[in-house]
Amino acid sequence: AQSVSQHNHHVILSEAASLELGCNYSYGGTVNLFWYVQYPGQHLQLLLKYFSGDPLVKGIKGFEAEFIKSKFSFNLRKPSVQWSDTAEYFCALSTTGGFKTIFGAGTRLFVKA
Amino acid sequence: DTAVSQTPKYLVTQMGNDKSIKCEQNLGHDTMYWYKQDSKKFLKIMFSYNNKELIINETVPNRFSPKSPDKAHLNLHINSLELGDSAVYFCASSGGSNQPQHFGDGTRLSIL
């Protein structure tokens, strides 16, 4: 069965610090990977997605993620965070032909102004 | 234009009552979902419909019954509400099995 693990449950950073949120998945076949963000009191929004091709994916708001197949990882990065990046971040996986998206437990990011 | 809209946004009710949450999407998507997000923000899929047919039914008590009158709507009816049902329920839709999902604003259900 597929699974998604996010190692950091809570991350606190100061503005301008660099961010890396870990995401590992478990599945032996072809995967589609996503990062979603949920701002306080809001719904989930797509940050970026990886289907195939260049393993370095750029998303909105300066976020990027790198797919490393050998490590089953899809870590999210941002070189310089802002206070407005305070949110919950979810890594997710789906498989081709499957209708289920598996979400990680989420990482709560708090950015200090 | 709101892509995925769900009503109501807040629902406060007593244990034992029956309530419904409605969801509509105007994206032309074939697949719709219901998720439950608990107080720790953990997001768990409950149901998924593709072209009005139920394709995912996770271990959810049978007090929860989804209904999809057409591709654009997926409603959730809950019977005999219990304290543990308190959560935020999100509706979502996607254009295919491996496509990103578009989420509604959520319905915060509080059981007194």
Side-chain angles (χ1 to χ4, degrees):
Chain A
Q2 309 97 312
S3 66
V4 177
S5 298
Q6 294 182 238
H7 319 296
N8 319 100
H9 296 295
H10 292 92
V11 172
I12 301 174
L13 294 172
S14 298
E15 273 195 314
S18 64
L19 170 73
E20 180 158 3
L21 301 182
C23 173
N24 285 89
Y25 68 91
S26 170
Y27 184 68
T30 303
V31 294
N32 307 300
L33 295 161
F34 310 87
W35 275 98
Y36 288 86
V37 60
Q38 185 178 25
Y39 297 105
Q42 294 188 28
H43 60 268
L44 278 79
Q45 304 168 43
L46 182 70
L47 264 183
L48 47 81
K49 62 187 179 193
Y50 171 80
F51 284 177
S52 63
D54 189 344
L56 185 61
V57 179
K58 294 199 184 298
I60 60 171
K61 304 189 181 191
F63 286 91
E64 65 177 32
E66 185 176 11
F67 172 55
I68 303 180
K69 191 174 180 180
S70 60
K71 294 185 178 180
F72 297 90
S73 70
F74 189 56
N75 292 355
L76 181 71
R77 299 195 291 249
K78 185 171 183 177
S80 176
V81 294
Q82 300 170 310
W83 175 82
S84 57
D85 293 324
T86 293
E88 192 94 16
Y89 292 81
F90 294 91
C91 182
L93 167 157
S94 71
T95 60
T96 301
F99 284 94
K100 188 191 291 192
T101 297
I102 308 295
F103 285 84
T107 296
R108 185 166 296 183
L109 171 67
F110 180 72
V111 179
K112 297 184 290 185
Chain B
D1 243 3
T2 305
V4 181
S5 60
Q6 43 183 120
T7 55
K9 192 164 183 173
Y10 299 96
L11 192 48
V12 181
T13 189
Q14 293 189 323
M15 264 198 318
N17 285 351
D18 303 338
K19 290 293 177 186
S20 292
I21 308 171
K22 296 187 175 181
C23 178
E24 176 181 3
Q25 53 98 2
N26 62 7
L27 297 167
H29 288 163
D30 286 342
T31 311
M32 295 185 73
Y33 310 82
W34 276 109
Y35 289 89
K36 180 180 181 181
Q37 187 175 47
D38 62 24
S39 57
K40 294 183 180 175
K41 301 293 186 181
F42 186 69
L43 201 63
K44 181 175 165 53
I45 189 163
M46 300 172 70
F47 303 102
S48 176
Y49 271 71
N50 187 56
N51 279 322
K52 300 195 302 174
E53 284 192 29
L54 181 66
I55 50 171
I56 294 174
N57 184 351
E58 291 294 288
T59 4
V60 177
N62 57 15
R63 298 181 295 104
F64 290 79
S65 52
K67 281 192 173 50
S68 182
D70 54 59
K71 277 187 356 178
H73 295 84
L74 180 61
N75 303 323
L76 183 65
H77 187 77
I78 316 170
N79 287 328
S80 303
L81 282 157
E82 299 177 358
L83 285 175
D85 298 333
S86 293
V88 181
Y89 292 84
F90 285 100
C91 177
S93 73
S94 72
S97 61
N98 59 353
Q99 294 299 311
Q101 296 185 20
H102 296 254
F103 285 81
D105 287 338
T107 295
R108 185 174 293 275
L109 174 62
S110 300
I111 310 300
L112 304 177

